[in-house]
Amino acid sequence: MYQILENQVVRNESSTIPYTWIRSEQPSQAICIMLPGLGYSTQRPLFHYATGMCLNHNIDVLHVNYQFTKNEQFKMLSETEQDQWMYEDVKAVVEEVLKDTVYEQCFLVSKSIGTIPMAMEWTRKNYIDNAIGVWLTPLIKDDQVYQALINTDRHSLCVIGDQDHHFIEERISSLKNNPLVGTVVIPDADHGLEIKGDISASIEAIKEVIEQVQEFMIKFSNG
């Protein structure tokens, strides 16, 4: 059984961040922090099944449900300012949730724009220790994300479709130069990791992604 805590963190008068913390009734030594995309929430298939997979392996889950598209002040900022805002929002939630709880291991699973605050923490290492990362459809065109991935000293898995508008074959191929980074390229998949016009193929793609993520997380789990 699980305990589900839904709450929010008020970082300042312009930023309130909802979150969902799902905890096993049996003490867990690991947590998976999930950072969704702008239009791809933690209720969508990839996060839904990844959440179930984590809970099945006694890994607690934290959904950071930021709502940047609804924040008019956020929209007015420059790209650099928006990146910092996202980072501070995620940091505020994680620090609030973890302030009285000690996990031996932390997984981060991010998608799309969520890979930006993840990349920033991957470089700065301000608030998450013993991190292992899953990057779903990372914004590989963004130099900050690309550099964080290619230079990482943490085990990481990059999953992307070759029809994703952020897919750059040269950059994805170059990630293989870092032995800590695994790459999975889904043929014909778009930014949602779906195959346009083919529901059955899209379901198979999601299945493959979840299987790859599960294998990766089990491989590097302390448990």
PDB file of all heavy atoms in Angstrom, residues 5 9 16 22 24 30 41 56 59 71 89 94 97 104 114 128 130 155-156 159 163 184 203-204 210:
ATOM      1  N   LEU A   5       0.551  11.959  -0.794  1.00  0.00           N
ATOM      2  CA  LEU A   5       0.471  13.306  -0.241  1.00  0.00           C
ATOM      3  C   LEU A   5       0.467  14.317  -1.382  1.00  0.00           C
ATOM      4  O   LEU A   5       1.423  14.385  -2.160  1.00  0.00           O
ATOM      5  CB  LEU A   5       1.662  13.576   0.687  1.00  0.00           C
ATOM      6  CG  LEU A   5       1.802  15.029   1.193  1.00  0.00           C
ATOM      7  CD1 LEU A   5       0.613  15.409   2.074  1.00  0.00           C
ATOM      8  CD2 LEU A   5       3.118  15.217   1.948  1.00  0.00           C
ATOM      9  N   VAL A   9       4.248  23.970  -2.747  1.00  0.00           N
ATOM     10  CA  VAL A   9       5.277  24.820  -2.160  1.00  0.00           C
ATOM     11  C   VAL A   9       5.103  26.225  -2.715  1.00  0.00           C
ATOM     12  O   VAL A   9       5.006  26.405  -3.935  1.00  0.00           O
ATOM     13  CB  VAL A   9       6.697  24.297  -2.494  1.00  0.00           C
ATOM     14  CG1 VAL A   9       7.762  25.299  -2.051  1.00  0.00           C
ATOM     15  CG2 VAL A   9       6.937  22.948  -1.822  1.00  0.00           C
ATOM     16  N   THR A  16       3.877  29.212  -7.128  1.00  0.00           N
ATOM     17  CA  THR A  16       3.367  28.155  -6.273  1.00  0.00           C
ATOM     18  C   THR A  16       3.424  26.850  -7.057  1.00  0.00           C
ATOM     19  O   THR A  16       2.908  26.766  -8.174  1.00  0.00           O
ATOM     20  CB  THR A  16       1.922  28.433  -5.843  1.00  0.00           C
ATOM     21  OG1 THR A  16       1.883  29.663  -5.099  1.00  0.00           O
ATOM     22  CG2 THR A  16       1.378  27.305  -4.981  1.00  0.00           C
ATOM     23  N   ILE A  22       4.365  10.122  -3.392  1.00  0.00           N
ATOM     24  CA  ILE A  22       3.800   8.785  -3.197  1.00  0.00           C
ATOM     25  C   ILE A  22       4.823   7.940  -2.451  1.00  0.00           C
ATOM     26  O   ILE A  22       5.922   7.680  -2.957  1.00  0.00           O
ATOM     27  CB  ILE A  22       3.438   8.129  -4.544  1.00  0.00           C
ATOM     28  CG1 ILE A  22       2.587   9.075  -5.403  1.00  0.00           C
ATOM     29  CG2 ILE A  22       2.702   6.813  -4.311  1.00  0.00           C
ATOM     30  CD1 ILE A  22       2.350   8.583  -6.805  1.00  0.00           C
ATOM     31  N   SER A  24       5.739   4.451  -0.108  1.00  0.00           N
ATOM     32  CA  SER A  24       5.376   3.098   0.295  1.00  0.00           C
ATOM     33  C   SER A  24       5.246   3.036   1.810  1.00  0.00           C
ATOM     34  O   SER A  24       5.960   3.731   2.538  1.00  0.00           O
ATOM     35  CB  SER A  24       6.441   2.108  -0.179  1.00  0.00           C
ATOM     36  OG  SER A  24       6.201   0.822   0.357  1.00  0.00           O
ATOM     37  N   ALA A  30      14.997   4.616  -1.599  1.00  0.00           N
ATOM     38  CA  ALA A  30      15.190   5.339  -2.868  1.00  0.00           C
ATOM     39  C   ALA A  30      13.948   6.141  -3.216  1.00  0.00           C
ATOM     40  O   ALA A  30      12.826   5.794  -2.855  1.00  0.00           O
ATOM     41  CB  ALA A  30      15.512   4.351  -3.991  1.00  0.00           C
ATOM     42  N   SER A  41       2.170  15.981 -18.854  1.00  0.00           N
ATOM     43  CA  SER A  41       2.103  15.968 -17.400  1.00  0.00           C
ATOM     44  C   SER A  41       2.502  14.602 -16.838  1.00  0.00           C
ATOM     45  O   SER A  41       2.698  13.620 -17.569  1.00  0.00           O
ATOM     46  CB  SER A  41       0.687  16.308 -16.940  1.00  0.00           C
ATOM     47  OG  SER A  41      -0.183  15.209 -17.162  1.00  0.00           O
ATOM     48  N   ASN A  56       6.432  -0.581  -7.768  1.00  0.00           N
ATOM     49  CA  ASN A  56       6.577  -2.039  -7.755  1.00  0.00           C
ATOM     50  C   ASN A  56       7.943  -2.470  -7.225  1.00  0.00           C
ATOM     51  O   ASN A  56       8.100  -3.601  -6.742  1.00  0.00           O
ATOM     52  CB  ASN A  56       6.378  -2.611  -9.158  1.00  0.00           C
ATOM     53  CG  ASN A  56       4.933  -2.572  -9.602  1.00  0.00           C
ATOM     54  OD1 ASN A  56       4.022  -2.414  -8.793  1.00  0.00           O
ATOM     55  ND2 ASN A  56       4.704  -2.703 -10.909  1.00  0.00           N
ATOM     56  N   ILE A  59      10.335   1.979  -4.726  1.00  0.00           N
ATOM     57  CA  ILE A  59      10.963   3.283  -4.894  1.00  0.00           C
ATOM     58  C   ILE A  59       9.871   4.339  -4.754  1.00  0.00           C
ATOM     59  O   ILE A  59       8.896   4.342  -5.513  1.00  0.00           O
ATOM     60  CB  ILE A  59      11.641   3.412  -6.274  1.00  0.00           C
ATOM     61  CG1 ILE A  59      12.742   2.352  -6.437  1.00  0.00           C
ATOM     62  CG2 ILE A  59      12.228   4.814  -6.472  1.00  0.00           C
ATOM     63  CD1 ILE A  59      13.309   2.273  -7.851  1.00  0.00           C
ATOM     64  N   ASN A  71       1.471  30.631 -15.909  1.00  0.00           N
ATOM     65  CA  ASN A  71       2.066  31.716 -15.139  1.00  0.00           C
ATOM     66  C   ASN A  71       2.457  32.869 -16.062  1.00  0.00           C
ATOM     67  O   ASN A  71       3.422  32.769 -16.816  1.00  0.00           O
ATOM     68  CB  ASN A  71       3.290  31.203 -14.371  1.00  0.00           C
ATOM     69  CG  ASN A  71       3.783  32.171 -13.324  1.00  0.00           C
ATOM     70  OD1 ASN A  71       3.976  33.352 -13.599  1.00  0.00           O
ATOM     71  ND2 ASN A  71       4.007  31.672 -12.122  1.00  0.00           N
ATOM     72  N   ASP A  89      12.175  26.459  -8.854  1.00  0.00           N
ATOM     73  CA  ASP A  89      10.918  25.793  -8.513  1.00  0.00           C
ATOM     74  C   ASP A  89      11.157  24.332  -8.125  1.00  0.00           C
ATOM     75  O   ASP A  89      10.652  23.840  -7.105  1.00  0.00           O
ATOM     76  CB  ASP A  89       9.936  25.858  -9.684  1.00  0.00           C
ATOM     77  CG  ASP A  89       9.132  27.155  -9.717  1.00  0.00           C
ATOM     78  OD1 ASP A  89       9.409  28.050  -8.897  1.00  0.00           O
ATOM     79  OD2 ASP A  89       8.233  27.263 -10.570  1.00  0.00           O
ATOM     80  N   VAL A  94      11.864  19.879  -4.016  1.00  0.00           N
ATOM     81  CA  VAL A  94      12.694  18.761  -3.569  1.00  0.00           C
ATOM     82  C   VAL A  94      13.210  19.007  -2.152  1.00  0.00           C
ATOM     83  O   VAL A  94      13.183  18.113  -1.292  1.00  0.00           O
ATOM     84  CB  VAL A  94      13.860  18.517  -4.544  1.00  0.00           C
ATOM     85  CG1 VAL A  94      14.812  17.452  -3.990  1.00  0.00           C
ATOM     86  CG2 VAL A  94      13.329  18.084  -5.907  1.00  0.00           C
ATOM     87  N   VAL A  97      10.308  18.522   0.386  1.00  0.00           N
ATOM     88  CA  VAL A  97       9.906  17.129   0.571  1.00  0.00           C
ATOM     89  C   VAL A  97      10.981  16.328   1.305  1.00  0.00           C
ATOM     90  O   VAL A  97      10.675  15.488   2.156  1.00  0.00           O
ATOM     91  CB  VAL A  97       9.576  16.484  -0.785  1.00  0.00           C
ATOM     92  CG1 VAL A  97       9.417  14.972  -0.654  1.00  0.00           C
ATOM     93  CG2 VAL A  97       8.309  17.091  -1.369  1.00  0.00           C
ATOM     94  N   GLU A 104      18.772   6.990   0.446  1.00  0.00           N
ATOM     95  CA  GLU A 104      20.141   6.635   0.079  1.00  0.00           C
ATOM     96  C   GLU A 104      20.405   6.856  -1.407  1.00  0.00           C
ATOM     97  O   GLU A 104      21.541   7.058  -1.817  1.00  0.00           O
ATOM     98  CB  GLU A 104      20.429   5.182   0.435  1.00  0.00           C
ATOM     99  CG  GLU A 104      20.450   4.913   1.929  1.00  0.00           C
ATOM    100  CD  GLU A 104      20.796   3.478   2.244  1.00  0.00           C
ATOM    101  OE1 GLU A 104      21.051   2.697   1.289  1.00  0.00           O
ATOM    102  OE2 GLU A 104      20.802   3.127   3.442  1.00  0.00           O
ATOM    103  N   GLY A 114      11.535  19.552 -18.849  1.00  0.00           N
ATOM    104  CA  GLY A 114      12.014  19.118 -17.540  1.00  0.00           C
ATOM    105  C   GLY A 114      13.485  18.766 -17.528  1.00  0.00           C
ATOM    106  O   GLY A 114      14.114  18.713 -16.462  1.00  0.00           O
ATOM    107  N   ILE A 128      20.763  17.417  -4.719  1.00  0.00           N
ATOM    108  CA  ILE A 128      20.478  15.987  -4.891  1.00  0.00           C
ATOM    109  C   ILE A 128      21.787  15.208  -4.910  1.00  0.00           C
ATOM    110  O   ILE A 128      22.666  15.478  -5.731  1.00  0.00           O
ATOM    111  CB  ILE A 128      19.694  15.713  -6.190  1.00  0.00           C
ATOM    112  CG1 ILE A 128      18.332  16.412  -6.150  1.00  0.00           C
ATOM    113  CG2 ILE A 128      19.500  14.215  -6.393  1.00  0.00           C
ATOM    114  CD1 ILE A 128      17.534  16.269  -7.413  1.00  0.00           C
ATOM    115  N   ASN A 130      23.787  11.285  -4.891  1.00  0.00           N
ATOM    116  CA  ASN A 130      23.626   9.901  -5.364  1.00  0.00           C
ATOM    117  C   ASN A 130      22.583   9.793  -6.467  1.00  0.00           C
ATOM    118  O   ASN A 130      21.728   8.911  -6.467  1.00  0.00           O
ATOM    119  CB  ASN A 130      23.236   8.992  -4.203  1.00  0.00           C
ATOM    120  CG  ASN A 130      24.236   9.052  -3.064  1.00  0.00           C
ATOM    121  OD1 ASN A 130      25.437   9.110  -3.305  1.00  0.00           O
ATOM    122  ND2 ASN A 130      23.758   9.038  -1.831  1.00  0.00           N
ATOM    123  N   HIS A 155      25.458   8.031 -13.807  1.00  0.00           N
ATOM    124  CA  HIS A 155      24.808   7.122 -14.757  1.00  0.00           C
ATOM    125  C   HIS A 155      23.542   7.771 -15.306  1.00  0.00           C
ATOM    126  O   HIS A 155      22.710   8.280 -14.563  1.00  0.00           O
ATOM    127  CB  HIS A 155      24.465   5.800 -14.068  1.00  0.00           C
ATOM    128  CG  HIS A 155      25.661   4.979 -13.721  1.00  0.00           C
ATOM    129  ND1 HIS A 155      26.433   4.361 -14.676  1.00  0.00           N
ATOM    130  CD2 HIS A 155      26.225   4.687 -12.514  1.00  0.00           C
ATOM    131  CE1 HIS A 155      27.424   3.701 -14.089  1.00  0.00           C
ATOM    132  NE2 HIS A 155      27.320   3.890 -12.778  1.00  0.00           N
ATOM    133  N   SER A 156      23.409   7.757 -16.623  1.00  0.00           N
ATOM    134  CA  SER A 156      22.300   8.436 -17.290  1.00  0.00           C
ATOM    135  C   SER A 156      21.810   7.608 -18.469  1.00  0.00           C
ATOM    136  O   SER A 156      22.588   6.921 -19.135  1.00  0.00           O
ATOM    137  CB  SER A 156      22.728   9.818 -17.791  1.00  0.00           C
ATOM    138  OG  SER A 156      23.147  10.655 -16.724  1.00  0.00           O
ATOM    139  N   VAL A 159      16.649   8.791 -23.847  1.00  0.00           N
ATOM    140  CA  VAL A 159      15.666   8.140 -24.716  1.00  0.00           C
ATOM    141  C   VAL A 159      15.042   9.198 -25.617  1.00  0.00           C
ATOM    142  O   VAL A 159      14.509  10.201 -25.130  1.00  0.00           O
ATOM    143  CB  VAL A 159      14.565   7.443 -23.896  1.00  0.00           C
ATOM    144  CG1 VAL A 159      13.592   6.735 -24.829  1.00  0.00           C
ATOM    145  CG2 VAL A 159      15.168   6.468 -22.895  1.00  0.00           C
ATOM    146  N   GLN A 163      12.323  10.999 -34.963  1.00  0.00           N
ATOM    147  CA  GLN A 163      11.495  12.006 -35.608  1.00  0.00           C
ATOM    148  C   GLN A 163      11.164  13.166 -34.656  1.00  0.00           C
ATOM    149  O   GLN A 163      10.349  14.027 -34.978  1.00  0.00           O
ATOM    150  CB  GLN A 163      10.197  11.373 -36.122  1.00  0.00           C
ATOM    151  CG  GLN A 163      10.415  10.315 -37.195  1.00  0.00           C
ATOM    152  CD  GLN A 163      11.199  10.862 -38.385  1.00  0.00           C
ATOM    153  OE1 GLN A 163      10.808  11.863 -38.977  1.00  0.00           O
ATOM    154  NE2 GLN A 163      12.307  10.212 -38.733  1.00  0.00           N
ATOM    155  N   VAL A 184      18.925   5.314 -26.132  1.00  0.00           N
ATOM    156  CA  VAL A 184      17.899   4.515 -26.788  1.00  0.00           C
ATOM    157  C   VAL A 184      17.207   5.420 -27.800  1.00  0.00           C
ATOM    158  O   VAL A 184      16.639   6.451 -27.429  1.00  0.00           O
ATOM    159  CB  VAL A 184      16.860   3.974 -25.788  1.00  0.00           C
ATOM    160  CG1 VAL A 184      15.758   3.217 -26.532  1.00  0.00           C
ATOM    161  CG2 VAL A 184      17.526   3.081 -24.752  1.00  0.00           C
ATOM    162  N   ILE A 203       1.938   2.297 -28.890  1.00  0.00           N
ATOM    163  CA  ILE A 203       1.856   1.510 -27.657  1.00  0.00           C
ATOM    164  C   ILE A 203       3.102   0.660 -27.483  1.00  0.00           C
ATOM    165  O   ILE A 203       3.657   0.552 -26.376  1.00  0.00           O
ATOM    166  CB  ILE A 203       0.588   0.640 -27.665  1.00  0.00           C
ATOM    167  CG1 ILE A 203      -0.660   1.527 -27.586  1.00  0.00           C
ATOM    168  CG2 ILE A 203       0.606  -0.367 -26.517  1.00  0.00           C
ATOM    169  CD1 ILE A 203      -1.961   0.782 -27.791  1.00  0.00           C
ATOM    170  N   GLU A 204       3.557   0.060 -28.571  1.00  0.00           N
ATOM    171  CA  GLU A 204       4.784  -0.738 -28.509  1.00  0.00           C
ATOM    172  C   GLU A 204       5.984   0.123 -28.157  1.00  0.00           C
ATOM    173  O   GLU A 204       6.891  -0.314 -27.429  1.00  0.00           O
ATOM    174  CB  GLU A 204       5.015  -1.451 -29.846  1.00  0.00           C
ATOM    175  CG  GLU A 204       4.077  -2.610 -30.100  1.00  0.00           C
ATOM    176  CD  GLU A 204       4.199  -3.697 -29.045  1.00  0.00           C
ATOM    177  OE1 GLU A 204       5.353  -4.041 -28.682  1.00  0.00           O
ATOM    178  OE2 GLU A 204       3.167  -4.182 -28.567  1.00  0.00           O
ATOM    179  N   ILE A 210       9.485   1.997 -21.386  1.00  0.00           N
ATOM    180  CA  ILE A 210       9.341   1.619 -19.980  1.00  0.00           C
ATOM    181  C   ILE A 210      10.229   0.422 -19.640  1.00  0.00           C
ATOM    182  O   ILE A 210      10.847   0.370 -18.565  1.00  0.00           O
ATOM    183  CB  ILE A 210       7.869   1.319 -19.642  1.00  0.00           C
ATOM    184  CG1 ILE A 210       7.022   2.583 -19.811  1.00  0.00           C
ATOM    185  CG2 ILE A 210       7.743   0.776 -18.225  1.00  0.00           C
ATOM    186  CD1 ILE A 210       7.457   3.742 -18.939  1.00  0.00           C
TER     187      ILE A 210
END
